Amino acid sequence: MTDKAHVVIVGGGLAGLLLGCVVATTCRDRLSVTLIERALPEAPEESLDTRATAISRGSKALLDHWMLWEAVSNEAKPIEDIHVSRAARFGSAMLRDAQDAREPMGWVVENVLLQQVLVARCEAEGVALLEGREVVDFCATQENPKLTLNNEEVIDADLVVIADGAQSALRESIGIGAIRHSPSQFAIAVNCETDGADCGVAYERFTSEGPLALLPIPNGSSSRARYNVIWCAHKVKQAALLKLSDDDFIGALQAEFGWRAGKILRVGRRTGWPLGKIAARELVRARCVLFGNAAHTLHPVAGQGFNLSLRDVERLATVIATEAGQDAPFSSVERLSVFTDMSRKDHEQTMGATSQLAEMLDSPSPFVDGLASLALSTLDLTGPIKRNVAEFGMGRR
């Protein structure tokens, strides 16, 4: 490597790749950046198996600032309105922006497109992408952290950004504990195709066991409307849904969601996972920073996870750029802890709001059940409150 300070990012998910892009772009003359990732996913060929991410207006502004939005904008699916409802209960609301708004409320972008754009930018900015590698030993007790890879290569770093996921092995290896909440809900992700109008409406439907969300996604060569479905339920129901045939699953989904998006014609491959919450007790140690899902996991309701990570990228990139100008960059835990101070309020508000929203309507009491329906009906009639809810979803803080 060079005599520049060396930042190593462990984990090449969307958050890690984006951080690598931004840091390499803003600090190219002062830092070298290495990103380690076991495997970057490949694009499925003409199937319903692609996964997608919701991008808020605030996140789009950041991507635009980093000159990344143009590369994905043509393939981004606009969200014009958000329809919120409750299964088998009265009350619904249509969230939309002011009539003179010049932009949609948000966009949905396929993950593989985002990853391809971020990988290309990382390569253009000189990030060393070590794909097919994983860390088998991590020593953070010396002056500079050392990472040993599965090919026996040893990397010295001035700063290690730990972004290796919710079950982070590196987080545990440096002794940072995490607050864990056992899951009450389990998720299913699947894409579907319907015969309904493709009008850019996202749907959030609250059932007795958790939220059911349909995000409009680009339809590629198909003329049908397509949606990315996240269906949250209790463990027994989730397990039963995963075992159904496609036809039976379509019937169950149609019955739970209704017909507002049209008749569901087909579905792609289903995947499931538990929605346990994890929050690291610390974000910073000597020359180490926890990032992305290694630092916190969010319930997928309202699609806030990646949008929070984008704001974290902006904050951490600012701290890294400041450190790059120091005589001994990244040597001070106190200076690195500025990232924690900058992030704390946003983390608490976003994680708290998504958790409360998901849990409030999970098998509610009769009182909460009735109150929720009344609140949803009132929301549809109350302009200022409705705008505040919409602005939270659009990433305005």
Side-chain angles (χ1 to χ4, degrees), residues 292-313:
N293 285 343
H296 48 70
T297 61
L298 271 68
H299 194 287
V301 64
Q304 292 297 309
F306 183 61
N307 296 291
L308 177 60
S309 290
L310 263 87
R311 299 193 294 275
D312 278 344
V313 166

Side-chain angles (χ1 to χ4, degrees), residues 10-21:
V10 183
L14 292 177
L17 283 169
L18 180 58
L19 181 66
C21 288

Side-chain angles (χ1 to χ4, degrees), residues 30-72:
R30 295 173 289 167
L31 295 175
S32 62
V33 180
T34 296
L35 188 144
I36 301 167
E37 171 55 36
R38 184 169 45 202
L40 294 171
E42 298 181 0
E45 297 181 2
E46 285 300 315
S47 76
L48 273 176
D49 292 337
T50 183
R51 294 293 174 251
T53 294
I55 305 292
S56 69
R57 269 195 204 159
S59 295
K60 181 258 185 182
L62 286 174
L63 292 172
D64 208 16
H65 174 69
W66 295 324
M67 294 179 290
L68 290 164
W69 179 248
E70 184 177 357
V72 301

